[in-house]
Amino acid sequence: MYSYALLEAGCYYLVQEKQHENLTLLQVKVISDHCMYVEKYSERIIQEWKRKADPIFDIVELIGDETVKEWTGVYYSNEDAYHEEDDE
């Protein structure tokens, strides 16, 4: 079992927070003395504070810059599929 304290600011990680859950892509935005502010990417972006001691079942992978760039293009191009355009 791991904890958020192992994650570094500015980096993207694929993690499994609890056993038998789906993988989550997250980015650490801010680190304080005892907590971390993270963004989680799923159907929508979730921003939240986590204690450094909060458990993570598995840190699957640190995502490299090229993969993040590729993923960003796919994620944000699919975002439009969920929003209907208003005809005004």
Side-chain angles (χ1 to χ4, degrees), residues 33-49:
D33 290 340
H34 302 282
C35 298
M36 306 177 97
Y37 188 69
V38 299
E39 282 187 347
K40 295 180 182 180
Y41 299 92
S42 57
E43 293 172 5
R44 61 183 179 88
I45 297 173
I46 299 168
Q47 299 171 320
E48 63 185 359
W49 284 97

Side-chain angles (χ1 to χ4, degrees), residues 39-66:
E39 282 187 347
K40 295 180 182 180
Y41 299 92
S42 57
E43 293 172 5
R44 61 183 179 88
I45 297 173
I46 299 168
Q47 299 171 320
E48 63 185 359
W49 284 97
K50 293 292 208 176
R51 292 179 187 268
K52 287 182 177 179
D54 285 349
I56 297 174
F57 177 73
D58 192 13
I59 301 171
V60 177
E61 183 176 4
L62 168 65
I63 304 295
D65 292 341
E66 280 300 312

Side-chain angles (χ1 to χ4, degrees), residues 55-83:
I56 297 174
F57 177 73
D58 192 13
I59 301 171
V60 177
E61 183 176 4
L62 168 65
I63 304 295
D65 292 341
E66 280 300 312
T67 305
V68 168
K69 184 178 177 182
E70 188 177 336
W71 167 81
T72 302
V74 172
Y75 182 82
Y76 289 109
S77 68
N78 287 337
E79 189 176 58
D80 294 335
Y82 296 105
H83 301 297

Side-chain angles (χ1 to χ4, degrees), residues 4-59:
Y4 277 86
L6 295 172
L7 308 181
E8 296 181 25
C11 295
Y12 288 84
Y13 296 89
L14 275 175
V15 301
Q16 187 176 15
E17 291 186 288
K18 295 180 182 171
Q19 190 174 13
H20 307 299
E21 281 191 355
N22 290 331
L23 297 180
T24 301
L25 179 68
L26 62 82
Q27 181 186 27
V28 177
K29 293 293 201 174
V30 176
I31 298 176
S32 70
D33 290 340
H34 302 282
C35 298
M36 306 177 97
Y37 188 69
V38 299
E39 282 187 347
K40 295 180 182 180
Y41 299 92
S42 57
E43 293 172 5
R44 61 183 179 88
I45 297 173
I46 299 168
Q47 299 171 320
E48 63 185 359
W49 284 97
K50 293 292 208 176
R51 292 179 187 268
K52 287 182 177 179
D54 285 349
I56 297 174
F57 177 73
D58 192 13
I59 301 171

